[in-house]
Amino acid sequence: EAGVAQSPRYKIIEKRQSVAFWCNPISGHATLYWYQQILGQGPKLLIQFQNNGVVDDSQLPKDRFSAERLKGVDSTLKIQPAKLEDSAVYLCASRQGSGGYEQYFGPGTRLTVT
Amino acid sequence: GNSVTQMEGPVTLSEEAFLTINCTYTATGYPSLFWYVQYPGEGLQLLLKATKADDKGSNKGFEATYRKETTSFHLEKGSVQVSDSAVYFCATEGDGGGFKTIFGAGTRLFVKA
């Protein structure tokens, strides 16, 4: 079974530029998560989708971050404009349902904002 | 909401030493508890979990017991190997946190040959 795919793996941009990350979850997984992991910290949930609907986006900085899940499958996370403090690894994860099922994580996208 | 506190690293051990990584949590009710591991250059993966009080999760020689009375979920292994070098994250989910997973800051383990 293929795992969670993310691209790009690395991205370097200047502040105030925009950037987009892509995630392809495991086939059949209804729930998709985006996490931000700042160096030395644990992952922090940004947004959770159930199929193509948003379940929780309470920690998403909506003035600059946006996310969508097309047709309940792939998802993109966008930052516009980027700030220095957005430098982090952005992790995508998926699970079959909600609670009680294992979350599977992608390899992450390492973003550096200069 | 839920929160997780785990011991700061890095932890450096010699091969075959005993490992303990402490984790305590705060939550309303009875969350599920997890340990995730991140090996160098790889993504996060679930190591073990426990869903109710006194449950013991185990995998790859690692164990952790859900202690409601002390709100703890300490990770232990009797004899570590060099291949166990990684970052370990304690996490909670459910009961007061919805199905949102709350992670600790992570503990980096180095095992020397």
Side-chain angles (χ1 to χ4, degrees):
Chain A
E1 170 178 86
V4 177
Q6 290 188 247
S7 67
R9 292 294 309 276
Y10 305 91
K11 190 74 177 179
I12 301 174
I13 62 172
E14 296 182 352
K15 59 183 179 185
R16 290 187 290 274
Q17 287 186 322
S18 62
V19 64
F21 312 127
W22 174 82
C23 172
N24 182 229
I26 292 172
S27 177
H29 281 195
T31 308
L32 185 147
Y33 306 85
W34 283 102
Y35 292 88
Q36 180 192 59
Q37 185 177 12
I38 293 172
L39 187 64
Q41 299 181 19
K44 182 186 82 171
L45 179 69
L46 292 176
I47 189 166
Q48 175 186 344
F49 291 95
Q50 184 80 16
N51 296 308
N52 59 355
V54 175
V55 174
D56 185 343
D57 63 357
S58 57
Q59 297 192 87
L60 186 73
K62 297 180 187 65
D63 58 334
R64 297 184 301 106
F65 285 64
S66 65
E68 61 180 1
R69 188 173 184 196
L70 305 172
K71 300 180 182 178
V73 182
D74 293 7
S75 178
T76 55
L77 176 69
K78 297 179 181 177
I79 307 175
Q80 181 178 14
K83 294 185 175 181
L84 296 177
E85 59 260 36
D86 299 332
S87 294
V89 176
Y90 290 84
L91 298 169
C92 180
S94 71
R95 74 196 326 176
Q96 192 170 346
S98 52
Y101 293 95
E102 180 175 345
Q103 271 187 81
Y104 293 86
F105 286 82
T109 297
R110 183 178 297 277
L111 173 68
T112 302
V113 182
T114 63
Chain B
N2 296 358
S3 67
V4 175
T5 303
Q6 59 182 107
M7 65 187 285
E8 288 189 24
V11 174
T12 302
L13 296 173
S14 297
E15 210 165 22
E16 299 183 4
F18 184 86
L19 168 71
T20 300
I21 299 178
N22 291 337
C23 171
T24 57
Y25 66 91
T26 60
T28 54
Y30 305 101
S32 294
L33 303 174
F34 305 83
W35 278 100
Y36 284 84
V37 60
Q38 191 168 35
Y39 297 104
E42 297 184 19
L44 267 173
Q45 55 187 275
L46 179 65
L47 179 60
L48 54 84
K49 70 177 184 181
T51 57
K52 61 183 188 296
D54 300 325
D55 265 4
K56 178 186 284 188
S58 60
N59 187 24
K60 300 182 180 180
F62 291 89
E63 293 181 338
T65 301
Y66 191 140
R67 301 286 189 202
K68 184 171 79 73
E69 63 276 12
T70 55
T71 61
S72 65
F73 193 55
H74 305 320
L75 182 67
E76 297 182 335
K77 187 174 186 183
S79 176
V80 293
Q81 305 300 311
V82 172
S83 57
D84 294 325
S85 298
V87 182
Y88 293 83
F89 293 91
C90 185
T92 73
E93 183 177 305
D95 262 21
F99 289 117
K100 180 187 303 183
T101 307
I102 307 297
F103 289 87
T107 303
R108 183 175 293 276
L109 170 66
F110 292 105
V111 181
K112 303 179 297 183

